[in-house]
Amino acid sequence: ILASILSLIIYWLIRDRYRVSNLHGKHVFITGCDTGLGNSLAKWLDKKGFCVIAACTTEKGSQELQSCSSLSLKTVNLNLADSNSIARAVEFVTEQTAGKGLFSLVSNAEVTAPLGPTDWLRIEDFHSVLDVSLLGLIEITLQLLPLLKKAEGRVVNLINAKGLMAFVGGGYSLSKWGMEAFSDTLRIEMQHFGVKVSIVEHGFFKAEVVNSGIIEKHLSKLWNRLTPEIRDSYGEKYF
């Protein structure tokens, strides 16, 4: 038993010391870099020496990120709900990698709201979340697979663990469960090409999208557009 425990400890120590070597020239494309986890990751990998390509949804986000990063970090505007925007971003990544392939795709972008009781929602409310957080993620992954296969790279999908708890209606939890299924399937299929697929289920970080005031604002908007019949069936006390 002691020998087994010692062997496990040695294995863990060796595994945890493993680091990617020769970082120069390895391109990492990260989505959702305006703020939060994607922004912090882009800065950290840039300092480590990776060639970071950071996708931001706003020009302001791009400028602020570039102002505190090295000259090797590049930014590109990306709207995951727009196929044309995805195509332009993929073209930019292809140009930046210059035939080397893509070392890693890190998908972090997400849309949270609207959240609320299911019969307060309309189909477009589900689309507004799923088009970015799930279908957009799938589309850009499919577009970048040739570059990932060329470099025998890896796909890393960041999933907020709170989304795996279906505590409220809307597209948020649907998108996270869909990301899990997509990642698990892709992992099996990409083994043949030497491409790794990982899921990182991270914790609940304080961010603008989880600000209680913003959540209440969205709920108020949903409540005010309900028919009198549905509003009466719930009542003011429920709201």
Side-chain angles (χ1 to χ4, degrees):
I1 292 173
L2 289 174
S4 298
I5 293 173
L6 182 61
S7 298
L8 282 172
I9 292 173
I10 294 172
Y11 166 74
W12 280 327
L13 288 173
I14 293 173
R15 184 196 64 177
D16 291 345
R17 287 186 177 185
Y18 178 76
R19 295 290 183 271
V20 176
S21 59
N22 301 321
L23 305 185
H24 180 72
K26 285 184 168 61
H27 289 81
V28 179
F29 179 56
I30 311 170
T31 66
C33 294
D34 293 82
T35 58
L37 191 57
N39 184 278
S40 298
L41 181 62
K43 294 175 183 175
W44 188 76
L45 291 179
D46 178 51
K47 289 179 181 178
K48 290 289 183 181
F50 285 97
C51 299
V52 177
I53 306 171
C56 298
T57 57
T58 64
E59 191 62 36
K60 178 183 177 182
S62 295
Q63 291 175 355
E64 290 180 350
L65 180 56
Q66 286 178 319
S67 68
C68 55
S69 304
S70 74
L71 295 176
S72 66
L73 184 142
K74 307 296 181 182
T75 61
V76 60
N77 290 335
L78 174 63
N79 176 7
L80 284 171
D82 182 357
S83 293
N84 291 327
S85 179
I86 290 174
R88 289 191 293 269
V90 170
E91 182 179 0
F92 181 79
V93 173
T94 303
E95 292 173 354
Q96 291 298 314
T97 54
K100 299 177 183 177
L102 183 62
F103 179 73
S104 182
L105 163 64
V106 182
S107 290
N108 170 65
E110 64 174 21
V111 172
T112 306
L115 297 172
T118 300
D119 64 347
W120 293 18
L121 302 170
R122 301 170 182 169
I123 191 63
E124 56 263 31
D125 297 322
F126 287 88
H127 274 295
S128 67
V129 176
L130 295 173
D131 286 351
V132 173
S133 299
L134 181 58
L135 297 178
L137 173 143
I138 291 173
E139 183 172 358
I140 198 160
T141 302
L142 294 177
Q143 294 282 346
L144 290 172
L145 278 180
L147 294 178
L148 289 160
K149 289 160 70 174
K150 187 168 188 176
E152 293 189 355
R154 68 280 327 277
V155 176
V156 182
N157 289 329
L158 305 184
I159 298 178
N160 196 322
K162 76 178 185 289
L164 301 176
M165 300 177 287
F167 59 92
V168 66
Y172 190 70
S173 289
L174 293 176
S175 70
K176 301 309 169 190
W177 290 12
M179 286 172 65
E180 292 267 349
F182 176 70
S183 301
D184 288 343
T185 303
L186 189 66
R187 182 183 305 113
I188 296 169
E189 296 168 346
M190 288 295 109
Q191 284 179 349
H192 176 72
F193 301 99
V195 175
K196 301 178 178 66
V197 179
S198 301
I199 298 169
V200 177
E201 295 175 356
H202 61 80
F204 189 75
F205 292 97
K206 184 177 181 181
E208 184 176 328
V209 292
V210 295
N211 182 287
S212 60
I214 293 176
I215 293 174
E216 287 180 14
K217 181 180 178 181
H218 281 288
L219 282 172
S220 295
K221 184 178 179 181
L222 293 176
W223 175 258
N224 291 330
R225 80 179 187 189
L226 292 176
T227 63
E229 291 78 14
I230 295 179
R231 240 191 337 254
D232 291 342
S233 70
Y234 282 91
E236 290 285 346
K237 184 178 180 181
Y238 181 92
F239 175 64

